[in-house]
Amino acid sequence: DSYRLFFGPGTDAQLSLAGATMTALGDKVTVVLETPSDRALQVPLVGNINSTLQVAMPGFQMPVPHFALRYGQSVTVQDLAMAVLVTPQFAGLREADGLAELLLEGSNGAVVVQFDGASKLVKRMQAAFAPDGAPAGFVVSFDLGFEPIVADALVPPITVDLATSTGGARSIVTSFQDLQPKPLAVGDKSPEWTMTAMDGSSVSLGALRGSVVVIDFWATWCGPCKRGLPYIEEFAKWASSSGKAIRVFGVNTLEPGSVDERNEKASAWWREQKFTMPLLLDSKDAVSRAYGVRGIPMTIVIGPDGTITAMHAGLAAGNPGQIVEDLKSESEQALAGPKQ
């Protein structure tokens, strides 16, 4: 992941990361998410962006300590440890490679913070820790590098962009609950989407209007997904041989790594399985977020008019193959249209 941090005069600040931009400008804090794309959260500034978001978004934790360092009257060990350590303590300070190194230790791991002794700006952070509830021997590690730039003024200055992707204006909500994507249900209109297929072509839901579209969300790390995909493939072969207007796609999502890494990993595994149904790449997880997907596998049936007609969450443990017959029945019913 990459973060971009901007600090202007007073409490003006901005954090941009994958799928979200959080901005303190004047007396307001605004949160804009990639999904949903039609609204934004805006609340009065209370203290600074850090303290405001902790109230507006309960449980929110800044992914980097810079905001606590800039705005805190005092900096705690937990601020520097980014809340990943249990009972953290200062454990050591030394000079290394021209930087000051601060060692923080907790009962579940350690964090090293490197900073410039003159400017006091953080240059690097390294952590290795066992998350709460993790199995024995399971350790998460990360390495954050920073390239701080000090200037007399920000160019360009901090701004808030409330435009939608279609050029309209986002509506303003005042609670984080109203900002979050609502999980879709049967009977809802499907969100529009365009994804890249494994062969590099572009596939959009709008271009498939008039056909039943079945999409199955999966990831290479998801065991139930991989056990369930052969059944989706079986259904896809039936749909293809039936001559009916039914299109079936696997959709890789929630895959770790960069866009190139995740696409390469998913495509390689797909080819190994010799699946015949097309693979679509939800490279930034925007499509799964738009559907409000909370877990995978998730299979969604979309009718010819773009209405969601069926949803299957998870893999049925007792009879996973039943989904083949279910999808056949649901697809044919969607083609026939609603019962009069």
Side-chain angles (χ1 to χ4, degrees):
D1 286 332
S2 295
Y3 306 120
R4 288 175 62 84
L5 314 176
F6 300 91
F7 294 98
T11 54
D12 289 355
Q14 188 172 73
L15 167 65
S16 295
L17 61 160
T21 300
M22 305 170 188
T23 308
L25 186 61
D27 60 354
K28 293 184 177 64
V29 171
T30 305
V31 178
V32 175
L33 303 182
E34 184 175 315
T35 303
S37 61
D38 61 342
R39 53 193 182 273
L41 171 67
Q42 197 167 77
V43 294
L45 177 75
V46 180
N48 56 68
I49 186 173
N50 199 19
S51 57
T52 301
L53 290 178
Q54 287 176 349
V55 173
M57 300 162 58
F60 174 77
Q61 181 73 29
M62 281 289 185
V64 289
H66 298 65
F67 297 89
L69 289 169
R70 183 174 181 91
Y71 299 122
Q73 294 182 351
S74 61
V75 179
T76 68
V77 183
Q78 198 63 277
D79 289 331
L80 291 173
M82 295 181 293
V84 302
L85 299 183
V86 177
T87 60
Q89 295 181 330
F90 290 109
L93 177 66
R94 70 177 185 180
E95 295 288 332
D97 300 324
L99 296 174
E101 282 193 348
L102 183 66
L103 174 64
L104 314 174
E105 290 184 338
S107 59
N108 64 327
V111 172
V112 174
V113 183
Q114 293 181 324
F115 59 94
D116 184 288
S119 68
K120 305 298 190 292
L121 293 174
V122 177
K123 302 296 289 289
R124 188 178 184 187
M125 299 186 71
Q126 296 170 291
F129 64 99
D132 185 33
F138 184 89
V139 175
V140 173
S141 61
F142 60 79
D143 190 337
L144 303 177
F146 303 102
E147 298 178 1
I149 299 172
V150 179
D152 293 333
L154 284 174
V155 180
I158 294 173
T159 58
V160 175
D161 184 4
L162 294 177
T164 66
S165 58
T166 58
R170 293 173 182 256
S171 60
I172 300 300
V173 299
T174 57
S175 75
F176 184 61
Q177 184 176 1
D178 292 335
L179 180 65
Q180 293 176 297
K182 303 294 190 297
L184 297 180
V186 171
D188 289 340
K189 273 290 186 183
S190 171
E192 294 295 328
W193 46 258
T194 299
M195 287 183 277
T196 300
M198 186 175 70
D199 63 5
S201 62
S202 182
V203 178
S204 68
L205 181 61
L208 298 171
R209 195 73 78 232
S211 298
V212 170
V213 178
V214 178
I215 53 177
D216 184 78
F217 290 101
W218 70 281
T220 59
W221 52 263
C222 173
C225 299
K226 294 195 284 190
R227 291 194 296 274
L229 275 167
Y231 299 111
I232 307 301
E233 168 74 359
E234 180 182 340
F235 165 70
K237 288 181 176 179
W238 170 86
S240 177
S241 63
S242 72
K244 301 177 187 293
I246 304 172
R247 301 292 302 276
V248 187
F249 301 92
V251 180
N252 180 257
T253 192
L254 303 176
E255 196 74 56
S258 67
V259 170
D260 289 343
E261 289 170 344
R262 57 191 288 171
N263 290 352
E264 182 178 344
K265 184 189 304 182
S267 299
W269 187 83
W270 199 260
R271 284 190 289 266
E272 287 175 6
Q273 309 311 306
K274 296 182 170 56
F275 288 144
T276 60
M277 62 177 164
L279 171 63
L280 303 182
L281 302 165
D282 184 18
S283 301
K284 296 183 178 180
D285 307 323
V287 178
S288 60
R289 285 200 304 269
Y291 283 100
V293 172
R294 296 288 188 263
I296 52 177
M298 170 68 78
T299 309
I300 299 175
V301 181
I302 306 164
D305 64 348
T307 300
I308 297 173
T309 60
M311 303 180 79
H312 299 269
L315 180 69
N319 185 15
Q322 180 61 39
I323 194 171
V324 178
E325 298 305 316
D326 290 344
L327 290 174
K328 289 180 182 179
S329 174
E330 291 159 356
S331 297
E332 290 181 325
Q333 184 175 332
L335 282 172
K339 295 180 179 180
Q340 301 298 321

